[in-house]
Amino acid sequence: MCRSKLGSELLFISKINRDGKSVDILSKTPKSELQTVFKLTSLSLSNETFIASEFNSYVVKIKP
């Protein structure tokens, strides 16, 4: 199931590099992505993490 969320509704954990081979851990939310609408794809149900895709891709959690 895919759904959409605004960047300000997400907790950004890491950025997926464009080659898809590695991730960079983020220490803070990228301010340029707060107003972006991301398409979410489930990554882990037990950890409640998602892949948020738009121009860049991130591993995220939905803010409570």
Side-chain angles (χ1 to χ4, degrees), residues 24-43:
D24 295 323
I25 304 300
L26 298 173
S27 58
K28 59 183 179 177
T29 299
K31 298 216 183 291
S32 61
E33 304 291 12
L34 291 177
Q35 297 303 316
T36 303
V37 176
F38 288 93
K39 183 177 89 173
L40 301 182
T41 306
S42 182
L43 180 62

Side-chain angles (χ1 to χ4, degrees), residues 10-62:
L10 303 172
L11 296 171
F12 290 80
I13 299 169
S14 59
K15 181 178 180 183
I16 301 171
N17 291 327
R18 292 185 193 262
D19 62 7
K21 294 181 181 180
S22 62
V23 297
D24 295 323
I25 304 300
L26 298 173
S27 58
K28 59 183 179 177
T29 299
K31 298 216 183 291
S32 61
E33 304 291 12
L34 291 177
Q35 297 303 316
T36 303
V37 176
F38 288 93
K39 183 177 89 173
L40 301 182
T41 306
S42 182
L43 180 62
S44 169
L45 294 175
S46 59
N47 290 322
E48 298 176 352
T49 55
F50 299 87
I51 295 177
S53 302
E54 192 12 74
F55 182 72
N56 293 308
S57 295
Y58 298 91
V59 176
V60 300
K61 284 189 170 194
I62 298 174

